[in-house]
Amino acid sequence: MKSFSRHLSVALLLGTVAIAAPAQAQEFKAGFVNTDRIFREATTAKAAQAKLEQEFSRREKELVDMGNTLKTASDKFEREAPTMAESQRTARQRQLVDQDRDFQRKRREFQEDLSARKNEELSQVLERANKVVKQVAEAEKYDVILQEAVYINPKHDITDKVIKALNAAAAAK
């Protein structure tokens, strides 16, 4: 709903400008930037993704190993349960439940940590991208640059220019 109202207000603004100043409507210059493409294709975004993968790969491997160990232990319990004494079966079941709870907790913490770090890294990429968008907009005299829209004519899409400028700025550093 929030997105809809934002799109509606932008559409109303653009419509008002086009109606109020028909002589100037041709001079009005709008552009569009696809932030999803920037997050996928820009060098800084790829570097941030690689940094996150490196930072979290050890924990992810530990979780995978822990999950595999738990599955193996659970499978072994299922095979051996019919031949176990009741007290032994109950103790082993309790142990597996505790291990599973610990595994779920660690997995949840991992996901929360990964999500928080991903948001940090992507916000830095977006901040740099917004600076580049402003530079492109000022250099090419755009009146408005949109980042979200239902439909954009490809001739107004300046994402490639922004990605090239962002990559050039990253290479210069």
Side-chain angles (χ1 to χ4, degrees):
M1 192 66 170
K2 185 177 180 181
S3 178
F4 174 74
S5 64
R6 186 179 334 156
H7 292 303
L8 182 61
S9 62
V10 168
L12 289 174
L13 171 70
L14 293 176
T16 304
V17 169
I19 291 170
Q24 294 179 351
Q26 293 176 355
E27 295 174 24
F28 184 80
K29 192 171 180 183
F32 170 74
V33 175
N34 184 331
T35 52
D36 290 337
R37 274 193 54 213
I38 290 173
F39 287 147
R40 282 192 319 267
E41 298 174 19
T43 305
T44 53
K46 290 177 183 178
Q49 184 63 33
K51 182 179 177 182
L52 287 172
E53 286 174 11
Q54 179 188 11
E55 188 176 325
F56 286 90
S57 63
R58 183 185 54 79
R59 280 179 64 189
E60 185 176 27
K61 184 185 180 324
E62 288 173 1
L63 277 173
V64 168
D65 291 346
M66 188 177 190
N68 289 339
T69 301
L70 185 60
K71 173 136 176 54
T72 302
S74 181
D75 291 345
K76 183 179 178 186
F77 173 74
E78 292 295 323
R79 283 192 313 271
E80 296 175 355
T83 61
M84 290 180 165
E86 183 66 28
S87 62
Q88 190 180 14
R89 184 172 43 243
T90 304
R92 186 81 88 63
Q93 217 169 12
R94 196 173 307 128
Q95 181 185 23
L96 286 172
V97 167
D98 289 344
Q99 287 175 342
D100 184 56
R101 190 177 304 125
D102 186 45
F103 172 70
Q104 296 300 333
R105 179 185 53 78
K106 286 182 179 182
R107 191 173 72 180
R108 191 173 41 255
E109 288 172 356
F110 172 80
Q111 289 298 330
E112 289 169 359
D113 291 348
L114 177 62
S115 181
R117 284 287 295 125
K118 189 174 188 178
N119 287 339
E120 287 174 20
E121 291 294 328
L122 290 181
S123 68
Q124 290 175 2
V125 170
L126 186 60
E127 188 178 312
R128 289 184 196 121
N130 284 339
K131 287 179 184 176
V132 169
V133 167
K134 285 180 184 176
Q135 291 169 353
V136 169
E138 290 169 359
E140 297 187 18
K141 302 200 182 340
Y142 280 91
D143 295 307
V144 67
I145 303 290
L146 305 173
Q147 289 184 327
E148 290 183 36
V150 175
Y151 171 77
I152 288 291
N153 185 326
K155 74 179 184 180
H156 297 293
D157 190 346
I158 63 166
T159 306
D160 288 331
K161 290 178 188 176
V162 172
I163 290 172
K164 286 177 187 171
L166 196 57
N167 290 347
K173 285 185 178 180

